[in-house]
């Protein structure tokens, strides 16, 4: 019965969205209030329909209803309840349902809390219902999470993928989906502004608020995904430039660019066209990322599905949503209202170059992500674009971004202060790059220069203008500097060795000694494991900490996983992971000393914290 009720709720909600968005759009165009305000009942029916479907799917997981294919494939009776809940979005069908529901939730919140003009809101909801309807049809016809196993179904399920049985995977997907749903609302606000040809101050305020919250969710989602990869996958890295990772990073870059463009739009209506373009292409790249993740065109630990038919359906949705938006933007470009005064201050020029830099970075990453797929489709060959390409593009971008950030923060300062910031930044960079032991003096110097310039210019800004500071921007930029230092510390100063170890083995690494003491057998409800006991000693052979890496075997499917033993520290992490078993007692073991790696996520936390200053300042101005 749960499956039938869930399918009914999906059909009701999806078709309500599909059949209502055209009358609402026409009503808004013709100023017909009856049809224009139809979005209220349509949105309520759509929201409650998808909410009912999501709750019913959760109930099916909690009650072990293995007559539903999706539940049988991604759960079992011994799975803890909190993982059963997270299994809802553990694969393609459920995660798609969650994404559509978050779009509905965003829409309802906007309808309740925004004070935008009625006709503007009608245009926003017409576009939102169209998006929800198309995605709902995709779910019904290609990815129904309530499909049945009848008449025969298993007594127990296959289990949730072991790599998803982690706290990071409980929160990482919902945060990203909330960000993606925010991109859909930003897209619709941009389309409504395009229809109107301008944005009033209240509409700019709504767009800014939605954009900041969307940026927060994307930041949190990317940060938590990186943290999960570092802690769970056992390879010791935190970013692989994987196509799926890039698919979430590109929209973040575009949203960051849009936030900077909104700085000018809020005060003098400049860059309205740029804001609308970022709104359209941010969601367009989100849909492209959805196609990459769910079509099977790439193989990734993050990918959800491998059905080409779903990919074709997603391409159709992409075309139906994005191509008309781009065409409409092109035809309305010259009619979008912008001030005739084309003069810009130094600060505004810095913002404009910053936006262009972020957009260009997005395009470079998109090219590196899609070109191997295009090459394979057109020339039927195999081509790989890896970290060297992305690093060679992104490192100069980071340096340029740091220079622009510093210029913006020093915009009211006199030239001696500018000279002091530049000289000190170069001096610190040269010392770290060429006077310390690191993997690449050039990359180290560039990274340290970027972080130093941002921090020093921010300090000068605080000292000179205590009462005229945009703390949202200042703290966010400080977070970027801290993350840059974390990246430099981990990539340029880490010590790593992959060695054979067993009881009694010791290995010096850096200023430490790793001693493999023993291996123990441990048993948990869902897996059993060989657990290593590794002691970390200083040069005086005093025990600093003890690490317990595991080689896990899951009982439900026999899948083996590596769980690293990690000692987290403010200045460095100690990281040990167990690889393949080489003999009855010995394993292939990865030993790592990772300076400042935790600063990568500390910087992300500062970026999230910066939003508090935005909303506090916003409340004071109300």
């Amino acid at each position: 019965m749960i499956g039938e009720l869930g399918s009914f709720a999906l059909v009701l909600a999806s078709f309500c969205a599909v059949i209502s968005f055209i009358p609402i759009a026409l009503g808004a165009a013709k100023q017909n209030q009856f049809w224009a305000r139809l979005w209220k009942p349509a949105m309520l029916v759509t929201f409650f329909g998808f909410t009912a479907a999501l709750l019913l799917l959760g109930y099916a997981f909690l009650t072990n209803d293995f007559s539903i294919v999706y539940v049988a494939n991604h759960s079992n009776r011994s799975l803890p309840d909190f993982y059963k809940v997270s299994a809802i979005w553990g694969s393609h069908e459920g995660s798609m349902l969650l994404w559509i529901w978050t779009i509905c939730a965003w829409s309802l919140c906007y309808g309740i809390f925004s004070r935008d003009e009625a006709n503007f809101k009608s245009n926003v909801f017409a576009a939102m219902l169209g998006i929800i309807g198309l995605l709902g049809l995709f779910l019904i016809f290609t990815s129904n999470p309530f499909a049945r196993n009848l008449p025969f179904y298993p007594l127990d399920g296959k289990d949730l993928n072991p790599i998803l049985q982690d706290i990071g995977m409980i929160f990482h997907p919902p945060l990203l989906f909330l960000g993606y749903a925010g991109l859909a609302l930003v897209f619709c606000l941009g389309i409504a502004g395009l229809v109107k040809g301008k944005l009033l101050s209240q509409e700019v305020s709504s767009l800014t608020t939605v954009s900041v919250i969307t940026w927060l969710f994307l930041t949190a989602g990317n940060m938590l995904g990186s943290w999960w990869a570092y802690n769970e996958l056992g390879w010791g890295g935190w970013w692989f430039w994987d196509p799926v990772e890039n698919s979430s990073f590109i929209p973040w870059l575009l949203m960051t660019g849009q936030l900077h463009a909104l700085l000018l739009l809020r005060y003098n209506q400049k860059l309205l066209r740029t804001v609308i373009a970022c709104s359209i292409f941010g969601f367009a790249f989100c849909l492209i990322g959805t196609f990459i993740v769910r079509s099977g065109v790439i193989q990734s630990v993050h990918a959800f599905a491998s059905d080409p038919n779903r990919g074709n359906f997603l391409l159709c949705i992409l075309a139906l949503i994005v191509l008309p938006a781009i065409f409409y933007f092109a035809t309305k470009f010259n009619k979008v209202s912008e001030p005739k005064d084309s003069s810009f201050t130094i600060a505004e020029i810095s913002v404009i170059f910053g936006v262009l830099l972020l957009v260009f970075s997005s395009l470079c990453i998109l090219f590196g992500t899609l070109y191997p797929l295009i090459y394979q489709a057109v020339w039927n060959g195999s081509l790989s674009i890896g970290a060297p390409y992305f690093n060679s593009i992104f490192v100069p971008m980071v340096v340029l971004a740091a220079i622009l950030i510093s210029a913006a923060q020093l915009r009211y300062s006199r030239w001696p202060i500018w000279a002091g910031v530049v000289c000190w930044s170069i001096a610190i960079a040269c010392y770290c790059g060429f006077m310390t032991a690191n993997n690449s003096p050039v990359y180290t110097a560039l990274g340290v220069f970027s972080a130093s310039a941002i921090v020093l210019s921010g300090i000068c800004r605080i000292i000179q203008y205590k009462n005229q500071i945009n703390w949202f921007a200042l703290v966010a930029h400080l977070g970027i500097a801290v993350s840059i230092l974390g990246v430099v510390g981990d990539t340029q100063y880490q010590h790593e060795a992959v060695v054979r170890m067993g009881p009694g083995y010791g290995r010096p690494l850096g200023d430490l000694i790793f001693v493999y003491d023993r291996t123990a057998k441990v048993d948990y409800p869902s897996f059993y494991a060989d657990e290593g006991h590794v002691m970390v000693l200083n040069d005086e052979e005093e025990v600093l900490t003890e690490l317990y890496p595991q080689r896990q075997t899951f009982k439900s499917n026999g899948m083996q996983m590596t769980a690293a033993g990690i000692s987290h520290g403010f200045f460095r992490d100690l990281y040990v992971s167990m690889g393949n078993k080489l003999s009855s007692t010995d394993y292939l073991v990865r030993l790592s000393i990772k300076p400042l790696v935790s600063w990568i996520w500390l910087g992300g936390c500062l970026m999230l914290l910066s939003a508090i200053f935005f909303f506090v300042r916003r409340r004071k101005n109300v």
Side-chain angles (χ1 to χ4, degrees), residues 147-164:
R148 289 288 199 176
N149 263 325
L150 299 177
F152 304 107
Y153 59 90
L155 297 177
D156 203 356
K158 295 180 180 179
D159 200 8
L160 180 65
N161 189 332
I163 67 172
L164 303 181

Side-chain angles (χ1 to χ4, degrees), residues 57-79:
L57 186 60
Y59 180 78
F61 270 101
L62 290 172
T63 57
N64 300 312
D65 187 352
F66 300 121
S67 67
I68 295 175
V69 176
Y70 185 68
V71 177
N73 287 339
H74 303 288
S75 182
N76 65 23
R77 295 183 186 276
S78 64
L79 193 67

